[in-house]
């Protein structure tokens, strides 16, 4: 049976539309996840919610315990993850205020605990022993990507149906030259959190899709600098569209 997990990103640390029936604190062999798990219902569908940056948005991208988060969701029986993430737009097809469902990623992060197959002795029956090299040719689940695109269509929400997501280390934003380089590499959007999250989900055989909310023009792409206030205003404006997608997701 399928069970839906939702990872909330910046601006979606709380899901007002989720009717919470249970809150459960979880421990994993990798430590504690970003928050307790919230079990509830959204649009008549059961879901387990986890705010990636913690309930009060206090955990920066490089300090998130991604392994504990994915392991906690796996222990809760989650088979499918919808992961929301705020991103900057690099290509002209990814403008602020729009939503895209990336089909590819490039990982520029470093120093994050990025695998369950770390050669250590953590006892984790979900992954067994030894080393496994997951196939990551298509980092996001095609079935879930299609379902998200379909949900957007049904909700009359415009959605970009492909994009390459560059994952940077943060927490600082990029320089204009770094964005030029990412664009040359083929990136359309830039964010800080999809890795190692997507790979860890794959290691646990959990289907994973990212719903990327474009909240600013990437560095050097707009007329001035990037302000947190402008990001937060843009997030508030597209939040409703993101919720609409969730409501139509089947
Ligand atoms: N860069 C990296 N991460 C981000 C950005 C950005 O411009 N906007 C939101 N998350």
């Amino acid at each position: 049976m399928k069970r839906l997990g939702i990872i909330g990103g910046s601006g979606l640390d709380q899901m007002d539309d989720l009717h919470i029936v249970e809150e459960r604190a979880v421990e994993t062999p990798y430590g504690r996840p970003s928050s307790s798990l919230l079990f509830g219902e959204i649009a008549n569908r059961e879901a387990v919610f986890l705010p990636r940056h913690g309930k009060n948005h206090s955990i920066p991208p490089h300090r998130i315990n991604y392994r504990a988060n994915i392991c906690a969701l796996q222990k809760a029986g989650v088979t499918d993850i919808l992961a929301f993430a705020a991103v900057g737009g690099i290509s002209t097809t990814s403008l602020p205020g729009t939503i895209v469902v990336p089909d590819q990623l490039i990982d520029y992060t470093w120093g994050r605990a990025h695998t369950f197959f770390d050669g250590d002795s953590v006892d984790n029956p979900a992954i067994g022993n030894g080393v496994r090299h997951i196939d990551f040719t298509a980092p996001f689940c095609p079935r879930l990507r299609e379902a998200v695109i379909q949900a957007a269509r049904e909700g009359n929400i415009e959605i970009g149906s492909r994009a390459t997501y560059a994952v940077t280390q943060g927490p600082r934003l990029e320089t204009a030259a770094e964005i030029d380089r990412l664009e040359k590499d083929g990136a359309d959007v830039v964010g800080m959190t999809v890795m190692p999250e997507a790979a860890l989900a794959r290691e646990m055989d959990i289907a994973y899709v990212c719903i990327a909310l474009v909240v600013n023009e990437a560095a050097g792409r707009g007329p001035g600098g990037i302000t947190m206030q402008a990001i937060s205003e843009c997030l508030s404006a597209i939040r409703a569209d993101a919720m609409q997608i969730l409501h139509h997701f089947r």
Side-chain angles (χ1 to χ4, degrees), residues 92-114:
T92 48
T93 49
S94 308
L95 296 174
T98 60
I99 299 183
V100 297
V101 193
D103 60 335
Q104 277 298 329
L105 65 81
I106 305 175
D107 186 9
Y108 300 91
T109 66
W110 48 270
R112 302 181 180 189
H114 64 286

Side-chain angles (χ1 to χ4, degrees), residues 11 43 64 74-75 85 93 115 167 174 185 192 198 206 232 244:
I64 291 167
Q74 190 275 339
K75 276 178 153 201
T93 49
T115 179
V167 200
E174 298 72 33
D185 284 356
M192 302 174 189
I206 301 175
S232 136
Q244 189 67 2

